[in-house]
Amino acid sequence: MSDVLVRLQGLGKAYPKVHRGSDRIRALMRLLVRGVDKDRIEVLRDVSLEIRRGESLGLIGANGAGKSTLLKLISGVLTPTAGTVALNGEVGALLELGAGFHPDYSGRDNIALAAALHGITGAKLREFLPKIIEFADIGNYIDEPIKHYSSGMIVRLGFAVIATLKPDLLITDEVLAVGDESFQKKCIAWMQDYLDGGGTLILVSHSMYHVQKLCKQACWLRGGRIEMLGDVFDVTQAYLAWHERKSASDVAEPDRMHAGEFGVLSVALNGDDKKQVVLMNRGETLDVAMRLHSRDGRPPGVAVGIVRADGTAVYGVSAEMDGFHPMAIDPHEYECTLRFAELQLLPGSYVVRVHAMDTEGARIFDTLECGITVRGSSREFGFVQLPHRWLGGAEATS
Amino acid sequence: MASLGLIVGLTRREIRNRFNGTLSGGLWALLQPLLQLAIYSFVFVRIFNARVPEGSSIAYVPYLAVALWPWTAFSEAVVRASIVIQENAALIGKVAMPRQALVWASVGSSFIVHLAGFAAVVVVLWLLGQGVDPRGILPALLLYVPLFALAAGFAFLCAAMQVFVRDLAPLVTQLMPLLMFTAPIFYGSRQWPSNVQFLLHLNPYTTYAESFRALLLGMGAVDAGNVLVALAAAALVLFAGLWTFRRLDPHFEDFL
């Protein structure tokens, strides 16, 4: 069951630059004479990956990263400019809502044509048709023209066709988002069933929940290249962290009130004072060691905060709140360590902020930030695990 | 061939499209050519007082009809099919499918509709005792095969190039009447000045018009040489059309 179903090698796609009519004629001539056209804009570069039978891959990335282009290349709608796509089975693609449906025809007629596009005709179609109609579950609308359908009903129809045909490889592009709650559940249940039965899935979604639920692996595309490929939890976390950093850097940084009276000289997380992101596992202890500067020798106040990479506060505390003072190691330098034992931050990226304050703990004079990444996989939500217990039920036995 | 079922499905859809929303449905396919025939006989015979030039006993309406109906099938097939890829851009961009099927289905549906009209017209003319030779009907239908190939060849050529150069389809629409009037449809070959009559055969439809009249109305004999040239031309055009289409097919999506 581990044969390779899809193999992409050095896959690249570039679109022609066609601004004026004359560009089109030039492109036509080049294609007819030489079979190639070189004046192009690259949207996908050097993508190589393998998907084995039974695997499930989530494709994530920002808008314009090349996700849809990659799907179209795999499904054969687009022709690659570079590299190869090797397929070893039937592909069913749900690239867009109601693709291939004609608005004037009834659902029944459209199913017939959609099936024909997948090579199902005649007796086989008669066998499939009732199953498709049953899965779509849109009642009497099946004999109404599609133009009277809601977008949810169109998705139902499209998904029903694919679900009944059971292709070796299923490719879907953010289609689930349109159906209503119960249909989404039905689709997800179907997909899980399909995966359990040895089906192979490539899913594009902006919902990390869906990706984590359905996929074991993920591929993060960024600017037309594979940024990261691997276990779904690692990749989605890295991707979310990147997003958070991106939106945080979009917001103007608060002014540093660096009057020079008090300052943060250095911060070391778990002994690491290089300006790198510190990796730790969930539940481990985090030591935040800091050295502070005081110009006139008065003891500085200090506060430590943990925020998500996007700036959302998780927890903050100052030495003054706890009635603690840093220790003086010379008249102008103080140091102390804050220990978070068994830190229950959920996997993800965070920033530790150390603030140097005046002795009264009223004003921030300086701030230093360090990044931490908590590794691990979890489907819990939020930033931190709260102590909890389920009561009045039974333990799941698996 | 897996796409044969698809071609059949698309053709059926195309034909239904034409009559979708009409009360009489497919009846139009038969009714319309007969109405057209009545109008022609009024305009050409009553108003223009048109006569068959070769001085035979055939009336002008059957003379015109047996050459005009195949022409209509041919010209409509090429004109419609030349935009079929562009029209189905949405489908092509979202579903992986053999795009050739779209062209085959478009050409096929034009021919089916007009072949039905042709059959209706020929049968009515025969019943009305207009000199139609029933033995010519089967060979005449066979003659539709190379005509279909010729139309398909031009259709593939135009449909593929139209994706890149959008001026092509309007140009084809403009060229069709030119081809129609330079072929012996409304008149006979011998009415051309004898020193330029050979030019008439540069028009690919000339042989078809002459042969349909020879087969169905017994006007002259079918020129075997000309028919062979027409067969070769049809094969050549179909080959060229398919070659061009296949060459450009992978790049359609980039330019649609």
Side-chain angles (χ1 to χ4, degrees):
Chain A
M1 287 295 279
S2 67
D3 54 330
V4 175
L5 193 61
V6 186
R7 179 179 281 130
L8 311 179
Q9 267 171 336
L11 203 60
K13 177 68 188 173
Y15 283 105
K17 290 179 184 163
V18 275
H19 304 299
R20 284 162 296 149
S22 57
D23 292 339
R24 306 181 74 97
I25 298 185
R26 217 169 298 131
L28 172 64
M29 288 309 157
R30 271 200 290 260
L31 285 173
L32 276 179
V33 176
R34 275 177 273 156
V36 284
D37 181 23
K38 56 178 174 26
D39 204 11
R40 329 194 110 228
I41 303 166
E42 276 198 314
V43 290
L44 210 60
R45 251 165 303 171
D46 198 27
V47 172
S48 299
L49 61 92
E50 273 183 8
I51 299 162
R52 290 167 191 283
R53 200 174 289 275
E55 281 185 346
S56 49
L57 179 80
L59 213 50
I60 55 178
N63 293 333
K67 303 185 296 291
S68 297
T69 304
L70 184 57
L71 288 195
K72 285 184 172 185
L73 285 170
I74 297 173
S75 65
V77 170
L78 280 179
T79 318
T81 342
T84 52
V85 178
L87 283 174
N88 192 16
E90 281 282 311
V91 178
L94 265 179
L95 292 185
E96 210 159 313
L97 265 184
F101 287 162
H102 191 295
D104 280 340
Y105 293 132
S106 70
R108 205 182 287 273
D109 290 341
N110 271 301
I111 289 173
L113 196 78
L117 283 169
H118 286 98
I120 307 285
T121 46
K124 223 169 166 196
L125 175 64
R126 276 191 289 282
E127 180 199 327
F128 276 118
L129 197 60
K131 288 190 205 163
I132 296 176
I133 292 172
E134 194 195 318
F135 192 98
D137 189 24
I138 53 172
N140 292 332
Y141 272 97
I142 197 74
D143 289 311
E144 291 284 314
I146 294 249
K147 61 185 170 192
H148 295 158
Y149 282 28
S150 70
S151 51
M153 284 196 255
I154 295 177
V155 186
R156 279 165 174 257
L157 207 59
F159 195 85
V161 173
I162 294 289
T164 313
L165 298 183
K166 280 213 174 191
D168 296 328
L169 171 66
L170 174 64
I171 297 179
T172 74
D173 189 352
E174 201 60 282
V175 176
L176 288 177
V178 184
D180 62 24
E181 202 75 7
S182 68
F183 192 73
Q184 272 194 22
K185 272 187 204 138
K186 191 168 172 180
C187 289
I188 288 175
W190 181 86
M191 279 199 207
Q192 235 149 21
D193 196 47
Y194 165 81
L195 287 171
D196 292 344
T200 313
L201 174 74
I202 301 181
L203 174 78
V204 166
S205 181
H206 289 291
S207 153
M208 293 305 127
Y209 173 74
H210 282 155
V211 172
Q212 290 178 352
K213 191 162 171 62
L214 288 167
C215 304
K216 290 203 175 59
Q217 271 163 324
C219 171
W220 169 15
L221 283 180
R222 187 175 160 197
R225 288 172 185 276
I226 294 184
E227 175 82 12
M228 198 172 166
L229 177 68
D231 178 76
V232 68
F233 288 102
D234 291 345
V235 177
T236 49
Q237 268 161 37
Y239 171 68
L240 285 178
W242 173 78
H243 252 295
E244 285 165 359
R245 276 197 298 278
K246 199 170 139 232
S247 47
S249 67
D250 289 345
V251 180
E253 272 196 19
D255 279 346
R256 273 173 152 224
M257 313 226 332
H258 200 109
E261 283 173 55
F262 300 98
V264 184
L265 294 171
S266 71
V267 173
L269 299 179
N270 286 346
D272 185 347
D273 62 353
K274 314 254 181 339
K275 283 233 169 169
Q276 277 172 351
V277 175
V278 174
L279 287 174
M280 60 180 291
N281 291 319
R282 179 176 174 181
E284 281 181 354
T285 295
L286 177 68
D287 279 344
V288 184
M290 58 212 97
R291 281 167 55 236
L292 305 156
H293 166 77
S294 163
R295 197 173 60 188
D296 52 14
R298 284 199 295 152
V302 63
V304 174
I306 297 179
V307 297
R308 284 266 290 215
D310 64 352
T312 312
V314 177
Y315 182 69
V317 67
S318 76
E320 179 262 337
M321 291 174 197
D322 294 337
F324 177 82
H325 297 286
M327 180 175 72
I329 49 173
D330 76 45
H332 297 289
E333 207 175 312
Y334 290 77
E335 67 175 26
C336 63
T337 296
L338 177 64
R339 168 168 292 175
F340 293 101
E342 292 167 37
L343 189 61
Q344 288 301 333
L345 284 177
L346 293 184
S349 288
Y350 301 86
V351 173
V352 175
R353 287 187 180 154
V354 176
H355 306 285
M357 306 175 87
D358 56 17
T359 315
E360 295 73 33
R363 203 175 142 201
I364 294 175
F365 281 86
D366 190 20
T367 301
L368 202 75
E369 295 187 344
C370 295
I372 51 170
T373 294
V374 180
R375 280 182 302 201
S377 60
S378 169
R379 281 173 35 213
E380 290 157 286
F381 297 100
F383 316 135
V384 65
Q385 189 189 50
L386 301 178
H388 62 274
R389 217 163 57 153
W390 298 97
L391 303 171
E395 294 257 345
T397 51
S398 56
Chain B
M1 197 164 75
S3 59
L4 191 66
L6 179 61
I7 294 174
V8 171
L10 286 170
T11 309
R12 200 178 290 150
R13 186 174 89 161
E14 183 81 12
I15 292 174
R16 275 185 54 189
N17 252 347
R18 297 191 184 205
F19 304 109
N20 221 8
T22 60
L23 277 178
S24 49
L27 211 60
W28 264 115
L30 299 177
L31 215 60
Q32 193 227 353
L34 294 179
L35 271 172
Q36 214 177 328
L37 196 68
I39 292 167
Y40 282 158
S41 70
F42 178 74
V43 172
F44 284 100
V45 180
R46 286 291 157 85
I47 297 179
F48 285 133
N49 208 14
R51 288 284 171 269
V52 176
E54 278 95 356
S56 75
S57 58
I58 304 294
Y60 186 76
V61 167
Y63 175 80
L64 174 65
V66 297
L68 185 61
W69 253 271
W71 165 261
T72 313
F74 172 81
S75 93
E76 198 195 279
V78 175
V79 168
R80 275 182 178 251
S82 61
I83 51 165
V84 76
I85 296 298
Q86 193 191 337
E87 268 188 336
N88 284 285
L91 188 62
I92 288 172
K94 283 153 206 156
V95 184
M97 61 177 293
R99 286 91 182 246
Q100 280 187 22
L102 288 169
V103 179
W104 285 118
S106 173
V107 174
S109 63
S110 291
F111 267 80
I112 288 171
V113 167
H114 289 289
L115 201 61
F118 179 74
V121 165
V122 167
V123 167
V124 166
L125 288 173
W126 176 48
L127 292 176
L128 292 175
Q130 293 286 323
V132 172
D133 183 358
R135 285 169 303 169
I137 292 179
L138 196 64
L141 290 180
L142 278 180
L143 203 55
Y144 264 94
V145 175
L147 187 62
F148 177 81
L150 188 70
F154 281 125
F156 275 114
L157 208 61
C158 296
M161 308 243 275
Q162 167 68 12
V163 173
F164 296 83
V165 187
R166 302 284 161 91
D167 316 64
L168 197 70
L171 194 71
V172 169
T173 316
Q174 293 303 311
L175 278 175
M176 280 303 163
L178 191 75
L179 272 179
M180 179 169 77
F181 286 111
T182 54
I185 295 172
F186 290 94
Y187 49 83
S189 312
R190 269 175 245 161
Q191 278 166 290
W192 269 42
S194 53
N195 52 340
V196 290
Q197 251 186 38
F198 67 96
L199 284 176
L200 204 56
H201 277 275
L202 289 180
N203 186 320
Y205 189 67
T206 297
T207 302
Y208 293 96
E210 286 175 342
S211 306
F212 277 114
R213 279 179 186 151
L215 288 169
L216 288 165
L217 302 174
M219 303 179 76
V222 175
D223 185 328
N226 281 346
V227 170
L228 280 179
V229 171
L231 287 178
L236 193 72
V237 170
L238 182 61
F239 177 79
L242 281 173
W243 183 85
T244 309
F245 193 89
R246 284 198 186 127
R247 182 120 176 156
L248 298 178
D249 183 327
H251 307 281
F252 284 166
E253 169 58 13
D254 296 353
F255 288 88
L256 277 172

